[in-house]
Amino acid sequence: MMKSIIFDLDGVIVFTDMYHYAAWKKLADSKGIYFDETINNRLRGVSRMESLEIVLEKYEGSPLSGEEKAALAAEKNDCYRKLLSGMKPDDVSKEVRDTLALLKKRGHRLAIGSSSKNAREILDRVGLIDFFDAISDGNNISQSKPHPEVFLKAAEYLGVCPGSCVVVEDAYAGIDAAKEAGMTAIAVGDAASYEKADYVLEMFSDLAEIKMNY
Ligand code: B16
Ligand code: MG
């Protein structure tokens, strides 16, 4: 039996964190809120509204209502989506594309497990939407990483049990979510230093070297 592989999107397949940064920075600057790349790193894998709460830790104005917060999140998302509109197939590296193709050819089922509500749009723009057998994203979950829901839903959509899934993640919260779901956690990028990961990838293509049948 081949393991199913669930990929986080931002930071693993594509690198939209610079767009998230630009959009949050624009919003923060317009409201006089201090924001930098260190704060942006804390937003990795975190839902939009939870990200806003982190950004607002530096807000010094009068308390904001739920409606005002929703408006701020919408403003950030409008800006982010404008930046996404320039994405194209070249935004996925040859290495990532070739590795996904190889894993698929070997018979692995592939899924996305992303906190983003824009995941389908991104996958569509980079021409990968048909590559995945299931997509679980910010639109089908009520609790975001480190809660395991997004990965458990991906397994459910694939019709496989969680124990037969491996997760590829760049965020600590995502590694925690994978372990909580009872899945094998493979770390890339920022998560590579996290001791809870079962495997660490130096390069995305190393994924093809890990034994993933059982
Ligand atoms: P959206 P991932 C996450 O994607 C991003 O890492 C995180 O920075 C973002 O806040 C979250 O998606 C929600 O994104 O505003 O597009 O719904 O890493 O889980 O693929
Ligand atoms: Mg990520």
Side-chain angles (χ1 to χ4, degrees), residues 168-207:
V168 186
E169 255 290 350
D170 73 311
Y172 277 45
I175 298 290
D176 284 338
K179 296 312 299 174
E180 194 61 31
M183 300 176 178
T184 303
I186 302 182
V188 292
D190 263 31
S193 52
Y194 194 21
E195 69 282 357
K196 277 180 80 175
D198 297 301
Y199 296 92
V200 171
L201 301 182
E202 266 178 45
M203 291 177 63
F204 189 87
S205 55
D206 293 344
L207 188 56

Side-chain angles (χ1 to χ4, degrees), residues 4-6 109-111 132-134 153-160 165:
S4 297
I5 312 173
I6 305 172
R109 303 195 71 216
L110 310 183
F132 296 96
D133 302 293
K153 282 269 193 253
E156 186 188 318
Y157 296 160
L158 287 171
V160 299
C165 296

Side-chain angles (χ1 to χ4, degrees), residues 127-139:
L128 282 181
I129 192 104
D130 295 328
F131 233 94
F132 296 96
D133 302 293
I135 295 172
S136 172
D137 64 23
N139 296 296

